[in-house]
Amino acid sequence: MIFASIDIGSNAIRLLLVNIFEDSKGALTMVRTAFIRVPIRLGSDVFSNGQITHEREQKLLKTLSAFKTMIEVNEAVGYDAVATSAMREASNGTQIITRIEKEIGIRVKIVDGQEEAEIIREAGETSTNSTSPMTMFIDVGGGSTEISVQKNDSFINSQSFNLGTLRSLSGTTDLGEWTRLNDWLMQFEQHFGQIECVGSGGNINKIVKLFGDKEKKIITLKQFENAYKNLSKLSVSERMKVYNLREDRADVIVPASEIYLKIMETIRSNYIIAPKIGLADGLVINLYKNYQKNML
């Protein structure tokens, strides 16, 4: 059965179409049939000016109209659409959400940071087979960073921080957020050096592909520090040329690296796994589980 999700992020808008199967033991197999990413960058407006401009709003509506057509022609059993940090903070966010439902017929839910973190953890839990007693799921986005922690498959805590790539590029990061992040991480101090990190998002996937073990989807702390050293010394145009990056990846990959490294160094993690999961994956997993409950 095909399920779909739409993630209206601060950096990009994503459509995911997934065919989900379940074996006799209840294990899920997810096969991506389509993944489309459009870098509209709502956060560029919001983090600098507090609202989404008419130009980006129009691009958003055109993108979502196309996404709805894709969902319909693929005959998805169900779909879900959420908006995150940029839409949460935009003064005209609610107005735009209302317009989307009225003109396109897509109902979008603005999720808070805690809920976003939980959805991402759901995706990570399904996609990894961690043998560590404690796992930390980290998602670095354009406007915020979501972290969830579980111990022996039991949820412990989650938190959202206003630390993101576009927020950093716009120079609007509140330095107090770094302190809040550090203070929050210290509650797990007794487990430092034993926590397994699972990263999600396009930046960590690209960093692993370029500097880590792309087959095992893992990068060590030493490799990550080397990646940051090599990327940060280049201009955006040089990163594009040397590492064959799109411009909308070349500019955000360095601030993303800073956030991941800060977390890894604080909790003394020797590596991070990047199983190519994210908010969109968590949404389709939840859709499938709710579908199964309703069928009972």
Side-chain angles (χ1 to χ4, degrees):
M1 292 178 289
I2 293 178
F3 293 84
S5 63
I6 297 173
D7 169 13
I8 303 175
S10 301
N11 194 24
I13 317 302
R14 304 168 184 85
L15 168 67
L16 175 64
L17 290 162
V18 175
N19 205 344
I20 301 182
F21 307 90
E22 185 172 349
D23 63 22
S24 58
K25 297 181 180 179
L28 297 183
T29 297
M30 298 171 57
V31 179
R32 290 190 173 193
T33 60
F35 180 72
I36 303 171
R37 178 184 181 275
V38 183
I40 295 180
R41 295 203 155 180
L42 301 177
S44 293
D45 293 337
V46 178
F47 305 138
S48 298
N49 306 312
Q51 65 177 6
I52 296 167
T53 61
H54 178 70
E55 180 184 2
R56 288 194 206 271
E57 180 181 350
Q58 290 300 108
K59 288 181 179 179
L60 173 62
L61 265 68
K62 288 180 180 179
T63 300
L64 292 177
S65 179
F67 283 3
K68 186 181 181 185
T69 300
M70 285 287 292
I71 291 170
E72 290 173 346
V73 298
N74 280 275
E75 300 180 341
V77 175
Y79 74 90
D80 202 358
V82 302
T84 58
S85 184
M87 200 68 78
R88 285 197 295 263
E89 297 183 32
S91 61
N92 56 344
T94 302
Q95 175 186 330
I96 293 173
I97 294 298
T98 300
R99 186 181 175 195
I100 290 170
E101 183 172 2
K102 181 179 179 181
E103 297 185 16
I104 303 175
I106 293 177
R107 179 172 294 180
V108 178
K109 178 182 179 183
I110 300 178
V111 294
D112 61 30
Q114 292 284 111
E115 187 173 359
E116 185 178 352
E118 275 302 285
I119 296 170
I120 294 167
R121 185 182 70 87
E122 185 82 30
E125 188 177 21
T126 303
S127 304
T128 57
N129 295 308
S130 176
T131 56
S132 298
M134 183 169 286
T135 306
M136 182 173 289
F137 300 94
I138 309 164
D139 182 79
V140 176
S144 62
T145 293
E146 277 66 46
I147 306 177
S148 290
V149 178
Q150 68 179 38
K151 183 178 181 181
N152 298 324
D153 298 325
S154 296
F155 169 70
I156 300 296
N157 204 347
S158 66
Q159 190 57 262
S160 178
F161 303 90
N162 286 333
L163 298 168
T165 58
L166 290 184
R167 201 185 293 274
S168 176
L169 291 177
S170 69
T172 58
T173 301
D174 181 349
L175 295 181
E177 281 297 284
W178 288 107
T179 301
R180 193 166 77 89
L181 169 63
N182 185 76
D183 291 346
W184 187 84
L185 291 173
M186 292 306 294
Q187 68 183 292
F188 308 108
E189 185 175 11
Q190 61 179 318
H191 301 287
F192 284 1
Q194 304 172 28
I195 302 172
E196 182 168 272
C197 289
V198 178
S200 60
N203 287 302
I204 187 65
N205 292 333
K206 181 61 69 173
I207 291 166
V208 169
K209 183 178 180 180
L210 292 174
F211 299 96
D213 187 329
K214 63 181 180 180
E215 297 300 323
K216 295 181 179 179
K217 299 177 182 177
I218 190 171
I219 184 168
T220 65
L221 176 61
K222 186 175 181 179
Q223 288 172 325
F224 213 141
E225 290 172 336
N226 178 63
Y228 177 71
K229 178 181 177 181
N230 283 281
L231 289 166
S232 60
K233 69 182 179 183
L234 302 176
S235 66
V236 172
S237 59
E238 288 172 333
R239 289 174 214 153
M240 292 171 64
K241 182 178 180 180
V242 174
Y243 295 107
N244 192 29
L245 298 174
R246 302 187 312 270
E247 183 176 5
D248 64 284
R249 180 65 67 203
D251 61 350
V252 296
I253 198 167
V254 169
S257 299
E258 291 174 346
I259 297 171
Y260 280 113
L261 278 174
K262 170 63 176 175
I263 296 169
M264 291 178 70
E265 289 170 350
T266 298
I267 67 173
R268 301 199 300 271
S269 174
N270 292 319
Y271 64 91
I272 186 168
I273 302 169
K276 287 190 176 182
I277 50 91
L279 182 64
D281 300 89
L283 288 171
V284 294
I285 291 170
N286 286 338
L287 275 171
Y288 176 78
K289 290 183 176 179
N290 288 333
Y291 175 84
Q292 291 296 90
K293 287 180 182 177
N294 292 332
M295 292 295 291
L296 295 176

